[in-house]
Amino acid sequence: MTAFWPTLASYVEALERAGKLLRVTTPINKDTELHPLVRLQFRGLPEGKRKAFLFENVIDSRGRRYDIPVLVGALAGSAEIYALGMGCAVEDIDNVWRQALAEPVPPVEVKDAPCQEVVITGAALAADGGGLGRLPIPISTPGFDNAPYITAGHWITKHPDTGLHNVGNYRGMVKAENRVGVLLGRLAWGMRWHIDKWRAKGAERLPAAIVIGAPPHVTYAAVTRVPNDVCEYDVAGGLSGRPVELVRCVTSDLMVPAQAEIVIEGTVPTADVEMEGAFGEFPGYMAQRDYSFFMDVTAITMRKKPIYLSILSQMPPSESSKMRNIGRAAAGLRLLREAGMDNVLAVEYLECAGSNAVAVVKLKKRDAGDGKAALRILAESFMGKLLVAVDEDINVKDAENVLWAIAYRSQPYRDAEVAEAPPFPLDPAAVPPGAGRGLAGGGPPPRSTALLIDATMPWPYPPLSLPKRDYMERALDLWSSLQLPALTLKEPWWGYSLGYWTEEEEQEAALAMQGRHYETGEKQKAGRREFKD
């Protein structure tokens, strides 16, 4: 790490110094204007020009004014913003993640915390504008969402036996001043796994907390899937190289980041669910309403002057897809390495397809089945719907390059396979609208599958049909001397051998460069054969 942001406020200052922050001081309606304004840059600007937005004059549709600013796009508006939050260069993101997962740092407990400078409990939580209503929670998809939703809320729960905390980022539908929904799905993972464990022990409720505005490294860990026996606090400590400071909640024994902006404490019934949604989700469609869990709020604590953090999700590309994909790629690489596949070089998720949808595995193939083996491991762990294995020369960040590999390095009858995957209710292709996810007996769980494509070369290939590197570099010099427009070169931009190229072909190409191609023509004339149909 080259930089460390102990608080969200210190990170905001860093964004401003880097020219990545836009302060908006004119009145902005959080219900109708705020997210749409930020959304425009994801639909109309190149990634490098995206910025974080800090709204300092927030109102709502009822005319209420808020004294809490709203920050959007600050965690992953672009790869550059994500790297700034990590405290490293863009090219070092993978290395920081690799080290964090390999060398986690356990948290430490502190007694006093900025996140508890203001404490709201009791009857005040139910008063109009006294509970969740005092927070400027935006509507993410105006015209379709049925409520404001907490999008950057890290839900904290713990295992009833081991006490191991889970920190997961789930959406939270604001239902009342003191009640908020949470969508967890059917996967036995994270908070949903904890709810099932508490219910199995006969507990009617489990304590939970929602952390909003934690230091950036905590958020990056929270949105990344790690095994159930690993605590995201430890991973966050590994990302920053420092232990996360935790403080005990005021109404439960859960531990939350002391430097957070806002904490919402409460309890979740283990056996009751209620209708939730619809909400615009990261696959790019409205997620249908259905029964889900909820939390009754027991306390809200915050800084004296907090910042409300919101994540822009919905249609990709988005802040959510950028952030989730980077962390998910790091987790996928570690999963494959732990499975013994040390020949896997990289894992990448293509942002154009949203979060956790199209995963590309780059490997140096040793055996014919390496590509399929890697993809099956990811499919079993719900690490993608379309999984592609490619050779080491393919740029896994470039969708066009990956599609080219699929087109000409694979044959569907031999290299494609459909594998069963854990249920994914947010996929509109898995569940018809209104069919339900089965949390209240409303229907069977969805069936999800993954398409595996081994797009690695099945045998040595001829060279790429591009000029060799030295000729292309000479062309670059000429381009510059002619003062032509600046180039953003896409890989590959020069030709190279892929294993099948004879000495005779190399010699003939060399003769052509010398203007001696007639010699090749004479040789071919001498080798004429009779045509046979």
Side-chain angles (χ1 to χ4, degrees), residues 166-480:
N166 179 77
V167 186
N169 203 86
Y170 311 108
R171 78 191 198 204
M173 177 185 171
V174 178
K175 299 189 171 193
E177 291 286 349
N178 56 1
R179 193 170 90 259
V180 57
V182 58
L183 181 72
L184 300 174
R186 300 183 59 89
L187 289 176
W189 207 283
M191 182 176 172
R192 173 60 193 276
W193 185 56
H194 283 179
I195 291 176
D196 294 342
K197 290 292 184 182
W198 282 77
R199 185 192 310 110
K201 293 181 70 69
E204 295 182 356
R205 289 177 174 268
L206 77 157
I210 308 171
V211 173
I212 300 173
H217 53 286
V218 177
T219 296
Y220 294 143
V223 302
T224 298
R225 177 168 294 170
V226 299
N228 280 331
D229 59 353
V230 175
C231 180
E232 286 82 0
Y233 286 144
D234 297 2
V235 176
L239 288 174
S240 66
R242 301 165 177 83
V244 177
E245 293 184 348
L246 301 180
V247 67
R248 198 170 302 274
C249 285
V250 299
T251 61
S252 75
D253 61 355
L254 289 175
M255 305 299 293
V256 294
Q259 298 297 334
E261 301 292 308
I262 302 165
V263 177
I264 304 167
E265 303 179 13
T267 61
V268 176
T270 60
D272 294 328
V273 291
E274 60 184 37
M275 191 61 71
E276 190 264 5
F279 176 74
E281 272 290 356
F282 61 81
Y285 300 90
M286 294 300 298
Q288 297 296 313
R289 60 195 311 228
D290 207 338
Y291 285 93
S292 193
F293 295 97
F294 61 91
M295 183 176 83
D296 292 313
V297 178
T298 56
I300 296 177
T301 72
M302 65 181 77
R303 291 173 177 268
K304 290 180 179 178
K305 293 184 177 181
I307 300 171
Y308 184 87
L309 180 67
S310 180
I311 292 174
L312 192 81
S313 188
Q314 292 75 54
M315 173 68 72
S318 70
E319 184 180 14
S320 173
S321 62
K322 175 66 69 176
M323 182 162 39
R324 291 176 186 272
N325 285 355
I326 291 176
R328 194 65 62 95
L333 178 61
R334 180 168 177 78
L335 179 66
L336 294 174
R337 293 278 177 83
E338 289 179 340
M341 302 201 68
D342 59 354
N343 58 330
V344 173
L345 306 177
V347 175
E348 181 71 20
Y349 285 85
L350 298 180
E351 188 181 8
C352 60
S355 302
N356 192 39
V358 179
V360 187
V361 178
K362 177 188 288 194
L363 52 82
K364 186 177 180 65
K365 191 161 70 172
R366 290 190 294 245
D367 299 312
D370 282 352
K372 284 278 188 67
L375 301 183
R376 291 187 187 113
I377 292 171
L378 293 184
E380 291 171 0
S381 299
F382 189 57
M383 300 290 278
K385 184 178 180 181
L386 173 59
L387 299 156
V388 184
V390 297
D391 296 296
E392 56 187 314
D393 68 306
I394 297 298
N395 180 1
V396 293
K397 296 180 182 294
D398 183 358
E400 291 183 13
N401 206 207
V402 173
L403 286 173
W404 173 68
I406 293 173
Y408 294 110
R409 297 190 183 185
S410 70
Q411 276 290 338
Y413 80 89
R414 179 190 62 217
D415 301 315
E417 175 183 315
V418 175
E420 293 295 325
F424 180 40
L426 290 181
D427 182 356
V431 185
R437 291 185 294 269
L439 293 185
R447 181 190 179 195
S448 296
T449 56
L451 176 61
L452 319 182
I453 301 177
D454 184 356
T456 58
M457 293 183 297
W459 39 69
Y461 270 33
L464 300 191
S465 54
L466 289 168
K468 282 187 175 180
R469 182 170 186 169
D470 50 351
Y471 300 107
M472 290 302 293
E473 289 179 340
R474 169 58 180 158
L476 276 179
D477 292 338
L478 288 172
W479 185 278
S480 178

